[in-house]
Amino acid sequence: MNNQLTKGSITKSLLLFSLPMILGNLLQQFYNIADTFIVGQYLGSNALAAVGSSFTIMTFLTSIILGLCMGSGILFSMLFGAKQHDKMKTAFFVSFIGIAIMAIILQLLCLLFIHPILSFLNIPSDIYQQTYDYLFIIFWGFFFSFLYNYFSSVLRALGNSRIPLLFLAIATLINIVLDIFFIVQMHLGVSGAAIATIIAQAMSGTGIMLYVCLTQKELLPQKHHCYFDRDIFMKIRDYSLLTCIQQSVMNFGILMIQGLVNSFGVITMSAFAAAVKIDSFAYMPVQDFGNAFSTFIAQNKGAHLEDRIQKGLKSAIVISTIFCLMISCGVFVFAKELMMIFIHPQEVQIIQQGIQYLQIEGICYLGIGCLFLLYGYYRGVGKPGISVILTVISLGTRVLLAYLFAPTLGTLVIWWAIPIGWFLADITGILYGIKKEKWFQTQQIEKNKIMEGENI
């Protein structure tokens, strides 16, 4: 069911639309945690470090495609809000072909340059082969990741966040079952974990594509929609490219941090691999809420409901703040117990480093919550370039501080550099919003001047 986010209670609309997205990514993180648990418990710390490093590069690569899909989704939302369905279908055709080609090229490049990628990550020699084995298999499933993310973005742009959740839930369950089978029963090691992942990706990607093609035919472009429209292409380029840059810059910064962490050895790598999974699980809901907020903003932008946008911004701030405060308390207090889910109690050094990371990040989740709302707002109003600037500030600060001071002061600098980057980006985004966007000021709604396609 496709939902208009331009009507009804703002808080209720935001929560009902974002909840399936939050549950979906919580399921994804639950799988990541289950995967980490199975690998850590059955294959040991070296395998855990290998899979952890691979997860970082895969997150970066996926973020490129995800950014392109999300950028297209913003345009879909605006056209849907403006009820310009023919243009939306043409945008569907143009974006699908373009992003599919990008996904294929990226997959081939990864397979061809896998050794330089591992060298860039500073993978230690004792886990190099395991990391190679895992990534070589994972790269073959990259196109299926594109299929899932593209069709999920299309459905979510139109207000349907339940179907992507359903396919993700099925894929997560399949992935966990296959992990146990390939690792525990078949003794395939990290290769078994990779095979399980690409099988699950294939099922979720092809499954959601078939769902859209068979049951949502009114969304599909017909023959007269399948042509190259320069204006639509330019809009897709602007939204998708900048959102892609924002997503990939964010994850490239994380990738560089992973490379620095790897230089401290397997103990630090294992602690970081486990702690990052917990960290991602903790703040993932507010990240998805920011993405849902972006769709809300875009639909109302397309419908020219500026007053509803302002009210939605206030409501989103309250919801995000409450959640961040709750999760900060939980992660800080139970950091040790959370680390021991993945790490054997006798691995004291690994657990202690993980606790240190989690407690530092845990007290600062308000910073990341605010940043995700800023990302969502600026993407939704058609200014993804501001999101790129905020990401560069956040990640640039993190990488700069870490690389300058961590070699002499240790990993503590790496952990603290992350929230410092969040808050600097928050301050920049808020000041820009107050000055340029005139937040919290009454805006006169345009009347009798709305022409079809205006402001899109």
Side-chain angles (χ1 to χ4, degrees):
M1 179 178 179
N2 303 320
N3 300 312
Q4 284 275 4
L5 300 176
T6 56
K7 302 175 182 178
S9 168
I10 291 174
T11 300
K12 182 178 179 180
S13 295
L14 281 170
L15 290 175
L16 289 179
F17 178 61
S18 63
L19 185 58
M21 296 175 65
I22 292 170
L23 291 176
N25 267 327
L26 284 177
L27 277 174
Q28 182 64 48
Q29 291 303 315
F30 175 74
Y31 160 69
N32 290 333
I33 288 175
D35 185 51
T36 302
F37 174 81
I38 294 168
V39 171
Q41 295 294 322
Y42 288 96
L43 301 180
S45 59
N46 280 6
L48 177 62
V51 173
S53 295
S54 301
F55 176 77
T56 306
I57 183 64
M58 283 310 300
T59 300
F60 166 67
L61 294 172
T62 302
S63 71
I64 297 174
I65 298 300
L66 179 60
L68 293 172
C69 295
M70 288 173 61
S72 297
I74 294 300
L75 181 59
F76 296 153
S77 295
M78 290 183 176
L79 293 169
F80 183 67
K83 303 186 185 302
Q84 297 186 31
H85 300 300
D86 284 332
K87 284 189 176 182
M88 185 180 69
K89 292 177 181 180
T90 300
F92 183 109
F93 170 77
V94 173
S95 63
F96 179 81
I97 297 299
I99 301 174
I101 292 172
M102 289 288 295
I104 293 171
I105 293 173
L106 193 57
Q107 178 175 326
L108 292 175
L109 289 174
C110 288
L111 289 168
L112 288 173
F113 296 102
I114 186 170
H115 286 295
I117 290 172
L118 295 178
S119 298
F120 174 79
L121 289 173
N122 293 321
I123 302 298
S125 59
D126 50 346
I127 64 168
Y128 188 94
Q129 188 60 47
Q130 285 181 301
T131 308
Y132 174 88
D133 292 341
Y134 184 84
L135 277 178
F136 183 76
I137 296 172
I138 286 291
F139 285 154
W140 282 103
F142 189 70
F143 188 78
F144 296 117
S145 178
F146 150 70
L147 289 179
Y148 174 80
N149 283 300
Y150 183 83
F151 286 99
S152 294
S153 294
V154 170
L155 291 173
R156 288 167 181 160
L158 308 184
N160 186 341
S161 55
R162 297 178 184 177
I163 295 302
L165 168 62
L166 175 62
F167 281 98
L168 186 58
I170 294 172
T172 299
L173 180 61
I174 292 171
N175 211 333
I176 292 173
V177 171
L178 291 179
D179 260 344
I180 296 172
F181 176 72
F182 288 128
I183 294 175
V184 180
Q185 297 296 322
M186 299 296 292
H187 305 289
L188 295 179
V190 295
S191 296
I195 294 170
T197 297
I198 65 169
I199 290 174
Q201 286 178 339
M203 297 186 72
S204 63
T206 55
I208 195 168
M209 179 181 67
L210 289 174
Y211 170 84
V212 171
C213 292
L214 295 175
T215 68
Q216 304 288 306
K217 294 182 180 180
E218 71 278 5
L219 303 180
L220 298 177
Q222 298 172 358
K223 186 176 180 179
H224 63 277
H225 297 122
C226 298
Y227 65 95
F228 180 80
D229 185 302
R230 178 177 173 79
D231 290 338
I232 289 178
F233 174 77
M234 296 300 288
K235 292 183 177 71
I236 291 173
R237 184 202 64 180
D238 292 342
Y239 287 120
S240 294
L241 185 59
L242 288 172
T243 304
C244 172
I245 292 172
Q246 186 256 322
Q247 291 286 313
S248 57
V249 165
M250 180 170 64
N251 286 284
F252 182 73
I254 296 172
L255 190 63
M256 293 188 68
I257 293 298
Q258 178 73 62
L260 182 60
V261 167
N262 292 351
S263 69
F264 284 88
V266 173
I267 289 177
T268 300
M269 289 175 68
S270 298
F272 188 69
V276 164
K277 294 289 178 68
I278 298 166
D279 192 37
S280 298
F281 190 90
Y283 68 65
M284 185 62 71
V286 77
Q287 180 177 15
D288 291 313
F289 183 74
N291 291 334
F293 180 58
S294 181
T295 301
F296 170 87
I297 294 291
Q299 282 198 17
N300 285 280
K301 174 76 171 176
H304 305 283
L305 299 176
E306 283 80 4
D307 61 332
R308 188 173 172 85
I309 291 176
Q310 300 302 314
K311 292 176 182 177
L313 178 60
K314 296 177 184 179
S315 180
I317 291 172
V318 173
I319 295 170
S320 179
T321 299
I322 292 173
F323 174 81
C324 289
L325 291 175
M326 292 173 58
I327 207 67
S328 286
C329 293
V331 171
F332 185 87
V333 173
F334 297 105
K336 181 177 180 180
E337 288 76 10
L338 291 170
M339 283 297 299
M340 290 176 66
I341 294 174
F342 310 106
I343 308 299
H344 288 292
Q346 60 265 33
E347 300 280 4
V348 178
Q349 287 181 291
I350 296 176
I351 292 174
Q352 287 301 318
Q353 284 204 39
I355 291 172
Q356 185 184 68
Y357 174 94
L358 288 174
Q359 290 189 334
I360 291 172
E361 308 309 307
I363 62 174
C364 300
Y365 284 143
L366 273 177
I368 191 66
C370 178
L371 190 54
F372 284 134
L373 283 185
L374 290 169
Y375 288 158
Y377 176 83
Y378 286 118
R379 283 199 306 267
V381 297
K383 295 185 177 181
I386 304 300
S387 295
V388 175
I389 293 172
L390 299 183
T391 302
V392 170
I393 293 172
S394 174
L395 272 301
T397 300
R398 180 188 309 187
V399 171
L400 182 63
L401 291 177
Y403 273 84
L404 282 177
F405 299 109
T408 54
L409 300 179
T411 57
L412 189 65
V413 174
I414 302 177
W415 311 157
W416 272 112
I418 296 171
I420 290 173
W422 293 343
F423 286 112
L424 286 177
D426 288 341
I427 292 170
T428 303
I430 291 170
L431 290 177
Y432 180 87
I434 291 173
K435 182 178 180 180
K436 299 292 185 180
E437 299 295 309
K438 299 181 180 180
W439 291 351
F440 312 118
Q441 293 183 22
T442 302
Q443 297 186 14
Q444 182 179 1
I445 305 174
E446 297 180 15
K447 294 181 179 181
N448 303 320
K449 296 182 180 179
I450 301 176
M451 299 176 61
E452 185 176 2
E454 184 178 356
N455 295 332
I456 295 180

